[in-house]
Amino acid sequence: MPRPAGRRNPDYADKRARLVQELTDFVLRTPPTRPSLRQFAQACGVTEPTLRHYFGDREDVAIAIVEELGARAQPLMEAVETTAQDAAHAIDAYIELSIIGVRNGVFARAHCYCIVEGVADARVGRSYLTALLEPSLLALERRMAPHLPAGADAAAARAAALQVFAPMLLAVIHQQLLGGGDAAPMDLEDVFRSLARLARSGPHAG
């Protein structure tokens, strides 16, 4: 008996979830370009109509990937939120955690994919902001908040997070995705630890 119009297959959610996993793996192993719907379909061995059935248009596919990247980053963000005994330990432990996270290149590829897609389409950009970028910054804010001066406001907490996160992201993109590893090499681990020393000397140090 044919399925009634408008009713989904019982395994719809499982098939969609499997496609999201395959699509996300695809963007993490390829340069951060904007694949076409056809390229997305080829990457997971289905047709374009199949992707439209499970997601909608191409931007809906991109949003699903961005949301999956955010979900995969959740355990790391939860680890980042863990408090430390003082500002120095909070910063140093975060830097060491970040060093581990960038060694396989996933950090750079995930953020670059989201940036490329998000700048091109406002809906995808908002998804990146809410699913990955803002949660990453908030996790670091929560880690640093107990060590800020008494009376520090939200702007100070955000500045403390950006002071560490933003230069690390730029350095990783510089080296791993813009050719800096060959044209202008730097030791990322040394740079990260230097950022930690600079951050420890800031107004939250103590």
Side-chain angles (χ1 to χ4, degrees), residues 135-151:
S136 297
L137 290 171
L138 286 172
L140 187 50
E141 283 184 22
R142 292 177 184 130
R143 184 179 188 86
M144 299 300 300
H147 313 295
L148 294 173

Side-chain angles (χ1 to χ4, degrees), residues 83-104:
T83 57
Q85 64 189 52
D86 54 37
H89 284 87
I91 294 168
D92 289 346
Y94 175 74
I95 292 295
E96 294 304 318
L97 189 64
S98 299
I99 287 172
I100 294 171
V102 302
R103 282 175 178 163
N104 60 11

Side-chain angles (χ1 to χ4, degrees), residues 147-193:
H147 313 295
L148 294 173
D153 58 12
R158 176 50 54 101
L162 287 170
Q163 182 183 7
V164 179
F165 182 85
M168 286 201 313
L169 177 58
L170 179 59
V172 172
I173 292 173
H174 176 288
Q175 287 292 282
Q176 296 183 353
L177 296 174
L178 296 179
D182 295 322
M186 65 177 85
D187 187 315
L188 284 175
E189 296 187 13
D190 284 349
V191 169
F192 283 12
R193 293 190 176 108

